[in-house]
Amino acid sequence: MKIFPASVLVKPNLHGSHGHTSAQVIEGVCRWAKGQGAERVVVGDGPFWACPADQAREYFRQAGLYAAAEASGAEVVNLHEQPYRPIRTDDPALPEEIGLTELLFES
């Protein structure tokens, strides 16, 4: 049974320290999504606060993101380079407005 839509966004937890989502887990999730019928699988993350945007690709490479994506037929995107949709919040614990990547609305 195919359960996925045409496009799936996989958001790993890369935070610049030990304990982030492993490349093996990312690859496995991407392969599973493809096997469930996803035509496009995107692995998306943004550089953590201490990583300058121009160093994100190197960080993604060191974390194994590109190798995992290539091995599973997925693609990698830097979420900070993607368009965002502003969303208003009503929760006083959150900012009045947050941005969600447009990829979420395509998936």
Side-chain angles (χ1 to χ4, degrees), residues 35-59:
Q36 295 300 312
E39 296 169 15
R40 179 182 183 213
V41 177
V42 177
V43 180
D45 206 347
F48 58 98
W49 65 271
C51 178
D54 63 339
Q55 295 177 13
R57 285 182 182 80
E58 177 60 17
Y59 175 65

Side-chain angles (χ1 to χ4, degrees), residues 74-97:
E75 61 187 278
V76 176
V77 298
N78 179 340
L79 295 179
H80 292 297
E81 295 175 347
Q82 301 297 310
Y84 274 79
R85 184 178 298 188
I87 305 292
R88 300 218 24 100
T89 65
D90 294 327
D91 187 330
L94 296 173
E96 288 183 22
E97 187 175 278

Side-chain angles (χ1 to χ4, degrees), residues 8 10 12 36 45 50 57 99-100 102:
V8 172
V10 176
Q36 295 300 312
D45 206 347
R57 285 182 182 80
L100 296 178
E102 284 289 341

Side-chain angles (χ1 to χ4, degrees), residues 17-42:
S17 184
H18 298 290
H20 64 261
T21 308
S22 74
Q24 293 85 359
V25 168
I26 295 165
E27 180 181 339
V29 169
C30 293
R31 285 182 187 274
W32 184 80
K34 285 277 196 175
Q36 295 300 312
E39 296 169 15
R40 179 182 183 213
V41 177
V42 177

